[in-house]
Amino acid sequence: MTLRAEAHAKVNLHLGVGPLREDGFHELLTVFQSLSLRSVVELHSSPREDSPGPDTAVSSLEVTGLSARMVPTDSSNLAWRAVDAVARAVGVEPSDLPESARLRIQKGIPVAGGMAGGSADAAAALLLAREWLSESCGAPRLDDHALEELAAELGSDVPFTLRGGTMLGRGRGEKLTPVLSRGPWWWVLALADGGLSTPVAFRKLDDLRAAGNLPEPALDSSAVVQALASGDPRRLAEAIHNDLEPAALSVRPDLRRTLHCGAESGALAGIVSGSGPTCAFLCSDEAHAQAVAADIADAGVARLTLVASAPSGGAALLPADAD
Ligand code: C5P
């Protein structure tokens, strides 16, 4: 059996970071939107003999596409963990399964870029595992609510990548409420060399705050919510905000040049995407986005520039032979 699923990148239009909680996470108030950039994950099942161990339903993982070499191909990969999480949740011991799963991820989302690339892989893998275990292995089918709970356990952005669209996120970012958005919106993504670890960016923010160097957390997202409903990119450009940006710029000062270059190129607004280091530039339409992307590429301040529209949908199963 071969199954395929896609899931999309995200950009945070508002990222307000509250205090550090006792569980090591920060309380967030965020508005995120899914982008047309996506990863496609395939699950090929075969007789169980080729599985590497009794504790996992996955026999191997192959990664191709954008920065594939930076992605782990063992059981630490979030997509691999997602498959085993579904098996455990439906009460299946991997060693009792008649089959095991080979995973193949085609990355179309920058790795460690602040765009939920790993979370998207996990969201797609959750859908694949539910389908495979119920259709091919005779296991009970997990309901949507249980799948969303597993998503939140795997990572703060996995529930959003599962649902997609435009959402307000609270808690760690896993408590979601849909937000009205009159798009489409056009973005240029400027990818940086290397990644930026999410915990490092959050820790840096705590340090900067402890030193008294930053304004109060931005825990009001109403400007972004109203701008999204208006459909006016200039209004949205004035409203977008990221509390993590000073921390990301402190760890990666080179990103200032990228942001400056986007502003010079006429982007309506530029922002570090999530915890970075990808920078996202809002443009007025597709032609404007192509022109800004070309300028940023010419200036040599990004490893790669991509144009994306938003919002896109959530994780979804694809026909097995789709592109
Ligand atoms: O949930 P996720 O695995 O993406 O989080 C990675 C790390 O990012 C956490 O261990 C934590 O250090 C930081 N984080 C945080 N507050 C959040 C989300 C993530 O401090 N709301």
Side-chain angles (χ1 to χ4, degrees), residues 69-136:
R69 276 172 308 156
M70 287 169 68
V71 182
T73 53
D74 57 19
S75 59
S76 68
N77 187 296
L78 217 49
W80 183 313
R81 285 168 48 201
V83 174
D84 285 334
V86 176
R88 274 196 306 276
V90 295
V92 164
E93 280 298 322
S95 53
D96 292 340
L97 284 171
E99 298 177 348
S100 60
R102 276 188 294 128
L103 294 178
R104 188 156 173 267
I105 303 176
Q106 293 161 250
K107 303 268 325 170
I109 305 174
V111 175
M115 305 188 71
S119 303
D121 298 344
L126 284 173
L127 290 185
L128 293 172
R130 169 165 75 176
E131 213 59 22
W132 167 54
L133 290 167
S134 61
E135 295 300 315
S136 189

Side-chain angles (χ1 to χ4, degrees), residues 20 24-28 119 154-157 171-173 198-199 202-203:
L20 180 62
F25 289 88
H26 293 74
E27 193 68 19
L28 302 185
S119 303
L154 286 165
S156 306
D157 287 333
R172 287 191 286 130
T198 303
F202 274 101
R203 265 202 304 277

Side-chain angles (χ1 to χ4, degrees), residues 264-319:
E264 292 279 292
S265 307
L268 302 180
I271 197 167
V272 171
S273 174
S275 56
T278 303
C279 293
F281 298 94
L282 183 64
C283 296
S284 46
D285 54 32
E286 182 174 10
H288 184 214
Q290 295 291 0
V292 168
D295 275 359
I296 295 174
D298 285 350
V301 293
R303 178 165 60 82
L304 182 67
T305 55
L306 300 168
V307 170
S309 60
S312 286
L317 292 171
L318 298 171

Side-chain angles (χ1 to χ4, degrees), residues 223-301:
V224 159
V225 169
Q226 285 162 16
L228 282 166
S230 79
D232 178 356
R234 287 177 195 281
R235 232 176 120 180
L236 185 60
E238 279 169 24
I240 60 178
H241 174 82
N242 182 0
D243 271 352
L244 268 180
E245 185 166 296
L249 292 177
S250 168
V251 182
R252 293 287 306 258
D254 55 310
L255 300 180
R256 285 183 196 281
R257 275 183 68 212
T258 314
L259 290 175
H260 180 71
C261 178
E264 292 279 292
S265 307
L268 302 180
I271 197 167
V272 171
S273 174
S275 56
T278 303
C279 293
F281 298 94
L282 183 64
C283 296
S284 46
D285 54 32
E286 182 174 10
H288 184 214
Q290 295 291 0
V292 168
D295 275 359
I296 295 174
D298 285 350
V301 293

